[in-house]
Amino acid sequence: MVADCKAQETIRAAHAIVISEAEPVGSVAHVVDRLATFYHSDHVKACQPWILETPFDEWRDIQLVGMGIIL
């Protein structure tokens, strides 16, 4: 259980880093590009495979809405 808890902390931190790197640029296209990079990363395949159960377009839109961006 402890290892799972630590892994979840790492996952959240990695996700936050990817998203925060996209935010300062301000371009929606840049944010979408960073989300695509994260979604298709080895990190997601290894640590968050359940993300891949949702098609990228749907997952991307959910993430963007969470940031207040509506396409």
Side-chain angles (χ1 to χ4, degrees):
M1 274 179 32
V2 173
D4 286 344
C5 183
K6 289 181 180 182
Q8 289 299 317
E9 290 174 10
T10 302
I11 290 167
R12 281 189 218 101
H15 188 237
I17 289 168
V18 170
I19 300 303
S20 69
E21 287 176 355
E23 290 175 355
V25 175
S27 163
V28 173
H30 187 261
V31 173
V32 169
D33 182 55
R34 297 297 297 168
L35 288 171
T37 300
F38 178 75
Y39 182 88
H40 298 289
S41 69
D42 290 336
H43 172 77
V44 168
K45 290 174 190 165
C47 300
Q48 295 178 286
W50 58 88
I51 288 176
L52 303 175
E53 295 172 6
T54 305
F56 173 70
D57 292 343
E58 291 177 32
W59 179 84
R60 176 203 61 211
D61 292 346
I62 292 167
Q63 299 303 310
L64 291 173
V65 167
M67 292 180 209
I69 301 170
I70 299 173
L71 296 178

